[in-house]
Amino acid sequence: MELIEYYRIIRRRLWMPLTLAAFALIAVSVLFVFGPKRWRSEGQMIAQPGAAMRVQWTGTTVEVVEEAEVWGTLQQLVESRAIATAAAQEAGLIPPGGNTAALQALAFERAKRGAMFMVRGNGPSPDASTRYVDAAMDKLAEMWNQTRLERARAMAADMRRQLEIQEPPRQALLNQVDRAEAGSPPGKPTDLLAWMQTQITENQGALSAAQVDVNVARDRLTSLQELARRERNLPPEQRTWVEGGTVTTPLAGLEARLADLEAQRARMLQGRTESHPEVEALTQDIASVRRQLQVERERAVGGQNRVSPALSQQIVMSRMELASALRRIQALQARDSELRNRLPALQNRARLYSELLERLKPLDDQRASIVANLKILDAEARRLRESRDLSVVDKAEVISTNRSLSRFALLAVAGIFAGFIIGIMVVFLLHYLDVGGQSKDAQPAPA
Protein backbone atom coordinates (compact mmCIF):
# COMPACT_ATOMS: atom_id res chain seq x y z
CA MET A 1 0.00 0.00 0.00
CA GLU A 2 1.44 3.39 -1.00
CA LEU A 3 1.54 6.51 1.13
CA ILE A 4 -1.16 8.19 -0.96
CA GLU A 5 -3.52 5.40 -0.04
CA TYR A 6 -2.76 5.89 3.67
CA TYR A 7 -3.45 9.54 3.24
CA ARG A 8 -6.82 8.84 1.60
CA ILE A 9 -7.82 6.44 4.35
CA ILE A 10 -6.99 8.98 7.06
CA ARG A 11 -8.63 11.86 5.20
CA ARG A 12 -11.87 9.92 4.80
CA ARG A 13 -12.21 9.70 8.61
CA LEU A 14 -10.08 12.69 9.67
CA TRP A 15 -12.77 13.80 12.07
CA MET A 16 -12.01 10.83 14.32
CA PRO A 17 -8.34 11.62 15.21
CA LEU A 18 -9.23 15.29 15.55
CA THR A 19 -12.09 14.42 17.88
CA LEU A 20 -9.89 12.19 20.03
CA ALA A 21 -7.19 14.87 20.13
CA ALA A 22 -9.78 17.38 21.29
CA PHE A 23 -11.07 14.98 23.94
CA ALA A 24 -7.49 14.46 25.15
CA LEU A 25 -6.92 18.21 25.34
CA ILE A 26 -10.13 18.65 27.32
CA ALA A 27 -9.18 15.81 29.69
CA VAL A 28 -5.71 17.27 30.26
CA SER A 29 -7.21 20.70 30.88
CA VAL A 30 -9.76 19.35 33.37
CA LEU A 31 -7.13 17.34 35.24
CA PHE A 32 -4.73 20.28 35.24
CA VAL A 33 -7.33 22.74 36.54
CA PHE A 34 -9.22 20.52 38.98
CA GLY A 35 -6.43 18.09 39.93
CA PRO A 36 -4.48 18.40 43.19
CA LYS A 37 -1.96 21.18 43.23
CA ARG A 38 1.53 20.23 44.42
CA TRP A 39 4.68 22.22 45.04
CA ARG A 40 8.20 20.96 44.32
CA SER A 41 11.08 21.96 46.60
CA GLU A 42 14.83 21.45 46.29
CA GLY A 43 17.60 21.37 48.87
CA GLN A 44 21.35 21.10 48.38
CA MET A 45 23.79 18.91 50.32
CA ILE A 46 27.51 18.16 50.23
CA ALA A 47 29.27 14.85 50.80
CA GLN A 48 32.27 15.25 53.08
CA PRO A 49 35.49 13.34 52.27
CA GLY A 50 34.61 10.73 54.87
CA ALA A 51 31.28 9.94 53.23
CA ALA A 52 32.92 7.57 50.78
CA MET A 53 34.83 5.70 53.49
CA ARG A 54 33.56 2.43 54.89
CA VAL A 55 35.05 -0.44 56.88
CA GLN A 56 35.62 -3.76 55.16
CA TRP A 57 37.68 -6.92 55.46
CA THR A 58 40.96 -7.09 53.58
CA GLY A 59 42.26 -10.59 54.15
CA THR A 60 42.38 -10.99 57.92
CA THR A 61 42.56 -7.27 58.72
CA VAL A 62 40.01 -4.48 58.79
CA GLU A 63 40.63 -1.38 56.70
CA VAL A 64 38.75 1.86 56.13
CA VAL A 65 38.60 2.11 52.33
CA GLU A 66 36.91 4.36 49.83
CA GLU A 67 33.73 2.95 48.35
CA ALA A 68 33.81 2.92 44.55
CA GLU A 69 30.05 3.22 43.96
CA VAL A 70 29.32 5.72 46.71
CA TRP A 71 27.16 7.97 44.52
CA GLY A 72 25.05 5.08 43.29
CA THR A 73 24.52 3.94 46.87
CA LEU A 74 23.65 7.49 47.91
CA GLN A 75 21.09 7.83 45.11
CA GLN A 76 19.44 4.54 46.04
CA LEU A 77 19.16 5.69 49.65
CA VAL A 78 17.71 9.10 48.70
CA GLU A 79 15.10 7.51 46.43
CA SER A 80 14.27 4.72 48.88
CA ARG A 81 10.86 4.30 50.48
CA ALA A 82 12.46 4.34 53.95
CA ILE A 83 13.79 7.90 53.58
CA ALA A 84 10.52 9.15 52.07
CA THR A 85 8.43 7.59 54.85
CA ALA A 86 10.66 8.84 57.66
CA ALA A 87 10.80 12.36 56.15
CA ALA A 88 7.01 12.50 55.60
CA GLN A 89 6.36 11.46 59.20
CA GLU A 90 8.92 13.98 60.46
CA ALA A 91 7.29 16.74 58.38
CA GLY A 92 3.80 15.76 59.55
CA LEU A 93 2.55 14.81 56.08
CA ILE A 94 1.47 11.35 57.24
CA PRO A 95 0.90 10.06 60.76
CA PRO A 96 3.14 7.32 62.18
CA GLY A 97 2.01 4.03 60.77
CA GLY A 98 -0.20 5.79 58.19
CA ASN A 99 -0.73 4.79 54.57
CA THR A 100 2.28 5.56 52.39
CA ALA A 101 0.87 4.29 49.08
CA ALA A 102 0.32 7.82 47.70
CA LEU A 103 3.66 9.09 48.96
CA GLN A 104 5.98 10.19 46.18
CA ALA A 105 9.64 9.24 46.46
CA LEU A 106 12.35 11.86 46.60
CA ALA A 107 14.56 12.65 43.61
CA PHE A 108 18.36 12.76 43.53
CA GLU A 109 20.49 14.81 41.15
CA ARG A 110 24.24 15.34 41.06
CA ALA A 111 26.53 17.14 38.70
CA LYS A 112 29.17 15.12 36.90
CA ARG A 113 31.90 16.55 39.14
CA GLY A 114 32.09 17.78 42.66
CA ALA A 115 30.65 16.64 45.96
CA MET A 116 27.38 18.63 45.81
CA PHE A 117 24.01 17.03 45.09
CA MET A 118 20.35 18.06 45.16
CA VAL A 119 17.37 16.45 46.88
CA ARG A 120 13.90 17.20 45.50
CA GLY A 121 10.46 16.37 46.83
CA ASN A 122 6.78 17.32 46.36
CA GLY A 123 4.24 18.52 48.89
CA PRO A 124 0.61 19.70 48.99
CA SER A 125 1.70 23.20 50.01
CA PRO A 126 4.86 25.28 49.78
CA ASP A 127 5.51 24.93 53.52
CA ALA A 128 4.83 21.17 53.51
CA SER A 129 7.07 20.72 50.49
CA THR A 130 10.04 22.51 52.09
CA ARG A 131 9.49 20.73 55.43
CA TYR A 132 9.40 17.40 53.60
CA VAL A 133 12.70 18.02 51.79
CA ASP A 134 14.42 19.47 54.90
CA ALA A 135 13.34 16.45 56.92
CA ALA A 136 14.52 14.16 54.15
CA MET A 137 17.99 15.75 54.14
CA ASP A 138 18.25 15.42 57.93
CA LYS A 139 17.13 11.78 57.83
CA LEU A 140 19.49 11.10 54.94
CA ALA A 141 22.53 12.43 56.86
CA GLU A 142 21.48 10.53 59.98
CA MET A 143 20.77 7.26 58.19
CA TRP A 144 23.97 7.48 56.11
CA ASN A 145 26.10 7.60 59.24
CA GLN A 146 23.87 5.14 61.06
CA THR A 147 24.15 2.41 58.43
CA ARG A 148 27.93 2.64 58.45
CA LEU A 149 28.00 2.84 62.24
CA GLU A 150 25.90 -0.32 62.50
CA ARG A 151 28.22 -2.10 60.10
CA ALA A 152 31.27 -1.10 62.17
CA ARG A 153 29.52 -2.16 65.39
CA ALA A 154 28.49 -5.51 63.90
CA MET A 155 32.05 -6.22 62.79
CA ALA A 156 33.38 -5.18 66.21
CA ALA A 157 30.85 -7.44 67.96
CA ASP A 158 31.89 -10.34 65.73
CA MET A 159 35.56 -9.76 66.59
CA ARG A 160 34.82 -9.57 70.29
CA ARG A 161 33.03 -12.91 70.04
CA GLN A 162 36.10 -14.33 68.30
CA LEU A 163 38.24 -12.90 71.10
CA GLU A 164 36.04 -14.54 73.72
CA ILE A 165 36.27 -17.89 71.93
CA GLN A 166 40.04 -17.62 71.50
CA GLU A 167 40.86 -16.37 75.01
CA PRO A 168 40.24 -19.57 77.11
CA PRO A 169 42.71 -21.80 75.20
CA ARG A 170 45.20 -18.96 75.09
CA GLN A 171 44.86 -18.37 78.83
CA ALA A 172 45.32 -22.09 79.48
CA LEU A 173 48.59 -22.03 77.52
CA LEU A 174 49.70 -18.90 79.38
CA ASN A 175 49.11 -20.68 82.68
CA GLN A 176 51.25 -23.60 81.48
CA VAL A 177 53.98 -21.16 80.44
CA ASP A 178 53.86 -19.50 83.86
CA ARG A 179 54.16 -22.87 85.58
CA ALA A 180 57.09 -23.78 83.34
CA GLU A 181 58.84 -20.51 84.26
CA ALA A 182 58.11 -21.01 87.97
CA GLY A 183 60.05 -24.30 88.15
CA SER A 184 63.38 -24.86 89.86
CA PRO A 185 65.36 -22.82 89.14
CA PRO A 186 62.77 -20.14 88.28
CA GLY A 187 63.03 -18.35 84.95
CA LYS A 188 62.53 -19.01 81.29
CA PRO A 189 63.76 -22.56 80.60
CA THR A 190 65.28 -21.56 77.26
CA ASP A 191 67.29 -18.79 78.94
CA LEU A 192 68.29 -21.11 81.78
CA LEU A 193 69.44 -23.73 79.27
CA ALA A 194 71.55 -21.17 77.44
CA TRP A 195 73.02 -20.00 80.76
CA MET A 196 73.84 -23.58 81.82
CA GLN A 197 75.50 -24.35 78.50
CA THR A 198 77.57 -21.19 78.93
CA GLN A 199 78.50 -22.28 82.46
CA ILE A 200 79.58 -25.71 81.19
CA THR A 201 81.72 -24.10 78.52
CA GLU A 202 83.34 -21.71 81.01
CA ASN A 203 83.87 -24.54 83.50
CA GLN A 204 85.59 -26.61 80.80
CA GLY A 205 87.91 -23.70 80.09
CA ALA A 206 88.71 -23.28 83.77
CA LEU A 207 89.28 -27.04 84.07
CA SER A 208 91.77 -26.97 81.19
CA ALA A 209 93.62 -24.06 82.77
CA ALA A 210 93.69 -25.84 86.13
CA GLN A 211 95.11 -28.97 84.51
CA VAL A 212 97.92 -26.88 83.06
CA ASP A 213 98.59 -25.45 86.52
CA VAL A 214 98.73 -29.00 87.97
CA ASN A 215 101.24 -30.10 85.37
CA VAL A 216 103.42 -27.04 85.96
CA ALA A 217 103.26 -27.44 89.76
CA ARG A 218 104.04 -31.18 89.55
CA ASP A 219 107.04 -30.59 87.27
CA ARG A 220 108.38 -27.84 89.54
CA LEU A 221 107.93 -29.97 92.66
CA THR A 222 109.67 -32.92 91.02
CA SER A 223 112.56 -30.69 90.04
CA LEU A 224 112.88 -29.18 93.51
CA GLN A 225 112.70 -32.58 95.22
CA GLU A 226 115.44 -33.91 92.98
CA LEU A 227 117.53 -30.87 93.81
CA ALA A 228 116.91 -31.41 97.55
CA ARG A 229 118.06 -35.02 97.34
CA ARG A 230 121.27 -33.90 95.69
CA GLU A 231 121.76 -31.18 98.32
CA ARG A 232 121.33 -33.63 101.21
CA ASN A 233 124.08 -35.87 99.81
CA LEU A 234 126.60 -33.02 99.60
CA PRO A 235 128.69 -31.52 102.39
CA PRO A 236 127.45 -28.11 103.53
CA GLU A 237 130.37 -26.30 101.90
CA GLN A 238 129.51 -27.83 98.49
CA ARG A 239 125.81 -27.04 98.52
CA THR A 240 124.58 -24.51 95.95
CA TRP A 241 121.55 -23.31 98.07
CA VAL A 242 122.50 -20.95 100.85
CA GLU A 243 120.41 -18.82 103.12
CA GLY A 244 119.76 -15.30 101.92
CA GLY A 245 117.16 -13.05 100.44
CA THR A 246 114.10 -11.77 102.14
CA VAL A 247 112.89 -15.19 103.25
CA THR A 248 115.42 -17.17 105.26
CA THR A 249 113.22 -19.93 106.66
CA PRO A 250 110.22 -21.93 105.38
CA LEU A 251 108.20 -20.63 108.32
CA ALA A 252 108.29 -17.05 107.03
CA GLY A 253 107.14 -18.11 103.55
CA LEU A 254 104.31 -20.23 104.96
CA GLU A 255 103.14 -17.43 107.20
CA ALA A 256 103.16 -14.99 104.28
CA ARG A 257 101.33 -17.56 102.15
CA LEU A 258 98.71 -18.06 104.86
CA ALA A 259 98.12 -14.32 105.22
CA ASP A 260 97.74 -13.95 101.44
CA LEU A 261 95.23 -16.83 101.20
CA GLU A 262 93.15 -15.49 104.07
CA ALA A 263 93.05 -12.06 102.41
CA GLN A 264 91.92 -13.65 99.13
CA ARG A 265 89.16 -15.57 100.95
CA ALA A 266 87.91 -12.40 102.65
CA ARG A 267 87.70 -10.60 99.30
CA MET A 268 85.98 -13.56 97.64
CA LEU A 269 83.32 -13.78 100.38
CA GLN A 270 82.21 -10.25 99.54
CA GLY A 271 80.59 -11.50 96.33
CA ARG A 272 80.18 -15.26 96.89
CA THR A 273 78.89 -17.66 99.48
CA GLU A 274 80.97 -20.06 101.55
CA SER A 275 79.49 -22.98 99.61
CA HIS A 276 80.85 -21.71 96.31
CA PRO A 277 83.34 -24.21 94.79
CA GLU A 278 86.16 -21.67 94.54
CA VAL A 279 85.62 -20.47 98.11
CA GLU A 280 85.62 -24.04 99.36
CA ALA A 281 88.86 -24.77 97.43
CA LEU A 282 90.47 -21.67 98.93
CA THR A 283 89.36 -22.74 102.42
CA GLN A 284 90.99 -26.12 101.91
CA ASP A 285 94.21 -24.36 100.77
CA ILE A 286 94.23 -22.31 103.96
CA ALA A 287 93.77 -25.45 106.07
CA SER A 288 96.60 -27.17 104.18
CA VAL A 289 98.95 -24.22 104.69
CA ARG A 290 98.19 -24.21 108.40
CA ARG A 291 98.98 -27.90 108.66
CA GLN A 292 102.24 -27.46 106.72
CA LEU A 293 103.10 -24.47 108.88
CA GLN A 294 102.63 -26.62 111.95
CA VAL A 295 104.89 -29.31 110.49
CA GLU A 296 107.61 -26.80 109.62
CA ARG A 297 107.46 -25.30 113.07
CA GLU A 298 107.95 -28.74 114.58
CA ARG A 299 110.86 -29.38 112.21
CA ALA A 300 112.42 -26.03 113.11
CA VAL A 301 112.23 -26.88 116.79
CA GLY A 302 113.76 -30.34 116.29
CA GLY A 303 116.50 -29.10 113.97
CA GLN A 304 115.64 -31.72 111.38
CA ASN A 305 116.04 -29.60 108.28
CA ARG A 306 119.01 -30.92 106.35
CA VAL A 307 118.74 -28.66 103.33
CA SER A 308 118.75 -24.94 102.89
CA PRO A 309 115.68 -23.28 104.40
CA ALA A 310 115.13 -21.40 101.13
CA LEU A 311 115.06 -24.69 99.18
CA SER A 312 112.76 -26.25 101.76
CA GLN A 313 110.50 -23.28 101.43
CA GLN A 314 110.41 -23.69 97.65
CA ILE A 315 109.51 -27.38 98.01
CA VAL A 316 106.75 -26.58 100.50
CA MET A 317 105.34 -23.86 98.26
CA SER A 318 105.39 -26.19 95.25
CA ARG A 319 103.56 -28.89 97.20
CA MET A 320 100.98 -26.39 98.26
CA GLU A 321 100.53 -25.08 94.71
CA LEU A 322 100.14 -28.63 93.41
CA ALA A 323 97.63 -29.51 96.12
CA SER A 324 95.71 -26.29 95.46
CA ALA A 325 95.61 -26.97 91.73
CA LEU A 326 94.42 -30.54 92.34
CA ARG A 327 91.69 -29.36 94.67
CA ARG A 328 90.64 -26.74 92.13
CA ILE A 329 90.40 -29.46 89.50
CA GLN A 330 88.30 -31.58 91.84
CA ALA A 331 85.97 -28.64 92.52
CA LEU A 332 85.67 -27.84 88.80
CA GLN A 333 85.06 -31.50 87.98
CA ALA A 334 82.35 -31.67 90.63
CA ARG A 335 80.82 -28.50 89.22
CA ASP A 336 80.95 -29.93 85.71
CA SER A 337 79.34 -33.16 86.87
CA GLU A 338 76.61 -31.23 88.67
CA LEU A 339 75.84 -29.10 85.61
CA ARG A 340 75.80 -32.07 83.27
CA ASN A 341 73.52 -34.02 85.61
CA ARG A 342 71.05 -31.11 85.60
CA LEU A 343 71.35 -30.56 81.85
CA PRO A 344 68.98 -33.36 80.56
CA ALA A 345 66.10 -32.29 82.80
CA LEU A 346 66.59 -28.67 81.81
CA GLN A 347 66.78 -29.62 78.12
CA ASN A 348 63.48 -31.49 78.40
CA ARG A 349 61.96 -28.56 80.27
CA ALA A 350 63.18 -26.12 77.60
CA ARG A 351 61.81 -28.36 74.83
CA LEU A 352 58.35 -28.46 76.42
CA TYR A 353 58.54 -24.72 77.00
CA SER A 354 59.41 -24.10 73.34
CA GLU A 355 56.47 -26.27 72.26
CA LEU A 356 54.16 -24.21 74.47
CA LEU A 357 55.48 -20.99 72.94
CA GLU A 358 54.98 -22.38 69.43
CA ARG A 359 51.37 -23.25 70.26
CA LEU A 360 50.88 -19.87 71.91
CA LYS A 361 52.34 -17.77 69.08
CA PRO A 362 49.45 -18.15 66.56
CA LEU A 363 46.96 -17.38 69.31
CA ASP A 364 48.94 -14.30 70.31
CA ASP A 365 49.19 -13.19 66.68
CA GLN A 366 45.46 -13.71 66.19
CA ARG A 367 44.68 -11.79 69.36
CA ALA A 368 47.01 -8.94 68.35
CA SER A 369 45.30 -8.79 64.94
CA ILE A 370 41.84 -8.71 66.54
CA VAL A 371 42.88 -6.00 69.00
CA ALA A 372 44.34 -3.89 66.17
CA ASN A 373 41.15 -4.35 64.12
CA LEU A 374 39.02 -3.39 67.12
CA LYS A 375 41.02 -0.16 67.49
CA ILE A 376 40.32 0.69 63.84
CA LEU A 377 36.60 -0.09 64.21
CA ASP A 378 36.29 1.83 67.48
CA ALA A 379 38.00 4.87 65.94
CA GLU A 380 35.68 4.75 62.90
CA ALA A 381 32.60 4.30 65.11
CA ARG A 382 33.66 7.27 67.23
CA ARG A 383 34.11 9.38 64.11
CA LEU A 384 30.67 8.41 62.80
CA ARG A 385 29.05 9.25 66.14
CA GLU A 386 30.73 12.63 66.51
CA SER A 387 30.41 13.95 62.93
CA ARG A 388 28.19 13.77 59.88
CA ASP A 389 29.49 12.84 56.46
CA LEU A 390 26.56 14.51 54.69
CA SER A 391 25.91 18.20 55.41
CA VAL A 392 23.11 20.52 54.33
CA VAL A 393 24.38 23.43 52.24
CA ASP A 394 21.09 25.09 51.26
CA LYS A 395 17.77 24.58 52.98
CA ALA A 396 14.84 23.50 50.84
CA GLU A 397 13.16 26.12 48.62
CA VAL A 398 10.13 25.85 46.32
CA ILE A 399 11.28 25.67 42.72
CA SER A 400 8.06 24.82 40.81
CA THR A 401 4.44 23.63 40.96
CA ASN A 402 2.37 21.34 38.79
CA ARG A 403 0.18 24.33 37.70
CA SER A 404 2.75 26.22 35.66
CA LEU A 405 1.95 27.31 32.05
CA SER A 406 4.98 25.48 30.72
CA ARG A 407 3.80 22.27 32.35
CA PHE A 408 0.29 22.79 30.99
CA ALA A 409 1.63 23.40 27.49
CA LEU A 410 3.74 20.27 27.67
CA LEU A 411 0.83 18.16 28.90
CA ALA A 412 -1.51 19.65 26.29
CA VAL A 413 0.86 18.91 23.44
CA ALA A 414 1.41 15.40 24.73
CA GLY A 415 -2.37 14.84 25.12
CA ILE A 416 -3.21 16.16 21.65
CA PHE A 417 -0.48 14.08 20.07
CA ALA A 418 -1.54 10.96 21.95
CA GLY A 419 -5.26 11.49 21.04
CA PHE A 420 -4.40 12.09 17.40
CA ILE A 421 -2.26 8.95 17.17
CA ILE A 422 -4.93 6.84 18.84
CA GLY A 423 -7.51 8.26 16.41
CA ILE A 424 -5.35 7.31 13.40
CA MET A 425 -4.99 3.78 14.76
CA VAL A 426 -8.79 3.56 15.12
CA VAL A 427 -9.22 4.84 11.52
CA PHE A 428 -6.97 2.11 10.16
CA LEU A 429 -8.75 -0.50 12.26
CA LEU A 430 -12.15 0.54 10.90
CA HIS A 431 -10.74 0.57 7.37
CA TYR A 432 -9.49 -3.00 7.61
CA LEU A 433 -12.79 -4.11 9.11
CA ASP A 434 -14.64 -2.57 6.14
CA VAL A 435 -12.29 -4.18 3.63
CA GLY A 436 -12.76 -7.59 5.27
CA GLY A 437 -16.57 -7.30 5.16
CA GLN A 438 -16.62 -6.31 1.49
CA SER A 439 -14.40 -9.31 0.62
CA LYS A 440 -16.87 -11.72 2.22
CA ASP A 441 -19.86 -10.16 0.34
CA ALA A 442 -18.04 -10.44 -3.00
CA GLN A 443 -17.53 -14.23 -2.76
CA PRO A 444 -19.88 -16.33 -5.11
CA ALA A 445 -22.44 -18.65 -3.57
CA PRO A 446 -21.50 -22.34 -3.58
CA ALA A 447 -23.07 -24.52 -6.35
Side-chain angles (χ1 to χ4, degrees), residues 129-156:
S129 175
T130 54
R131 283 190 288 110
Y132 178 46
V133 175
D134 285 338
M137 290 191 293
D138 289 338
K139 289 296 180 182
L140 175 64
E142 178 183 347
M143 192 173 293
W144 184 261
N145 275 40
Q146 188 64 27
T147 53
R148 281 159 167 70
L149 180 59
E150 290 176 356
R151 175 179 173 83
R153 285 174 174 172
M155 294 175 67

Side-chain angles (χ1 to χ4, degrees), residues 207-363:
L207 191 60
S208 300
Q211 186 63 48
V212 172
D213 293 342
V214 167
N215 295 334
V216 172
R218 183 177 287 116
D219 293 343
R220 186 167 185 270
L221 178 60
T222 302
S223 176
L224 290 173
Q225 288 175 342
E226 182 65 26
L227 180 60
R229 282 193 295 270
R230 289 198 305 268
E231 289 288 314
R232 288 191 187 98
N233 296 327
L234 293 175
E237 64 275 5
Q238 295 181 2
R239 295 177 182 175
T240 57
W241 283 80
V242 295
E243 296 185 10
T246 58
V247 180
T248 59
T249 64
L251 292 176
L254 290 174
E255 289 172 353
R257 174 66 174 172
L258 179 61
D260 181 62
L261 290 175
E262 288 177 346
Q264 290 182 25
R265 185 177 182 276
R267 289 194 300 271
M268 193 175 294
L269 285 175
Q270 293 178 359
R272 301 175 184 177
T273 62
E274 293 185 356
S275 60
H276 193 276
E278 295 185 5
V279 176
E280 291 180 351
L282 196 58
T283 302
Q284 294 176 7
D285 290 344
I286 293 174
S288 176
V289 171
R290 285 175 177 171
R291 288 193 299 270
Q292 188 67 31
L293 183 60
Q294 182 64 28
V295 171
E296 292 299 329
R297 283 173 180 169
E298 293 175 355
R299 287 180 179 178
V301 172
Q304 298 177 357
N305 286 335
R306 299 178 58 189
V307 297
S308 169
L311 180 58
S312 297
Q313 179 183 358
Q314 293 292 327
I315 294 173
V316 171
M317 296 296 293
S318 296
R319 286 174 179 167
M320 293 174 55
E321 290 177 359
L322 177 59
S324 176
L326 289 173
R327 284 191 296 271
R328 189 163 64 253
I329 284 182
Q330 291 176 355
L332 292 172
Q333 288 175 342
R335 176 67 173 168
D336 185 74
S337 178
E338 177 191 358
L339 293 174
R340 292 186 183 276
N341 289 336
R342 293 166 53 190
L343 185 60
L346 190 54
Q347 286 176 334
N348 184 58
R349 182 180 165 192
R351 179 182 59 80
L352 296 177
Y353 182 78
S354 298
E355 292 177 356
L356 288 175
L357 293 182
E358 289 178 1
R359 292 166 55 192
L360 183 63
K361 186 178 184 305
L363 296 179

